[in-house]
Amino acid sequence: MADDNNSVPKKKGSMSVSEAGRKGGQTVRDKYGHSFYEEIGRKGGETVKAERGRAFYEAIGKKGGDTVKAERGAAFYEAIGRKGGEAVKAERGTPFYEEIGKKGGHRVRSLIEEGKKAAAELAAAAAKPSNNDVPAPGGEVLPEPAHE
C-alpha cells in the first residue's frame, strides 16, 4: 500500500497552522489588549495612505460599495438609512433636525447671494467698454473712421 500524506495521523499535541495562528493571536490580544490592534492598524493605514494616496482609498471604497449594491440592492440602503435616521432621532431628538435644517437653509441662501453677486460683477465687466486704444501684442492701433 502506498504511503499517502493525507492519511498520516496527527501526532499527539500537534496543531494545524490555523490553530497555531489563532492561539498566537489570542496570546497577543491577552498580552497587549485591544488598543495595541488599534495602534498598529492606524500605523498601517497611515503607511498605505503615504504610499498609495487618497485615490487608492476612493477606488477600494467604490469597489466595496459596488459589490454591496450588486449583492443587496437598493432596499438594503433604504433599510440602513432608515435605521440610521431613527437612531439619530432617538439620540438627538427633533430639535437637532430643526437646527441642521436652519443651517442648511442659511448656507443655501448665502450661496445664492454669492452667485447673484458674481453674476452681477460678470455682467458689469462685460458691459464696460473695452479699451480699444491698447494694441494687441505685436499689433498697431488703427484710427477710428470719421463719422460725417
Side-chain angles (χ1 to χ4, degrees):
M1 181 188 242
D3 191 14
D4 188 9
N5 287 339
N6 292 337
S7 64
V8 175
K10 281 193 204 178
K11 295 178 184 174
K12 188 173 183 179
S14 66
M15 63 178 77
S16 70
V17 173
S18 64
E19 290 170 329
R22 187 177 312 106
K23 186 175 180 181
Q26 289 171 347
T27 302
V28 170
R29 182 196 62 208
D30 294 344
K31 184 175 181 181
Y32 295 108
H34 182 74
S35 61
F36 170 75
Y37 288 103
E38 289 177 350
E39 184 179 340
I40 63 172
R42 183 182 44 77
K43 287 180 180 178
E46 289 172 357
T47 301
V48 170
K49 181 180 175 185
E51 290 175 356
R52 298 188 180 201
R54 178 185 173 116
F56 170 74
Y57 287 105
E58 290 174 359
I60 63 172
K62 183 165 178 15
K63 282 182 183 179
D66 290 345
T67 301
V68 171
K69 183 178 174 183
E71 289 176 355
R72 300 190 179 197
F76 171 73
Y77 290 106
E78 291 173 11
I80 63 172
R82 190 176 313 104
K83 286 180 183 178
E86 290 170 358
V88 170
K89 184 178 178 184
E91 184 179 312
R92 298 185 178 204
T94 308
F96 170 73
Y97 289 103
E98 293 172 359
E99 180 184 339
I100 63 172
K102 286 179 185 176
K103 286 181 180 178
H106 291 303
R107 180 68 180 139
V108 168
R109 184 181 311 123
S110 68
L111 288 171
I112 290 171
E113 289 171 3
E114 288 174 18
K116 287 180 180 178
K117 182 180 176 183
E121 290 173 358
L122 187 61
K128 278 187 178 179
S130 63
N131 192 352
N132 291 333
D133 295 337
V134 178
E140 60 184 61
V141 178
L142 300 175
E144 293 277 330
H147 297 318
E148 290 182 33

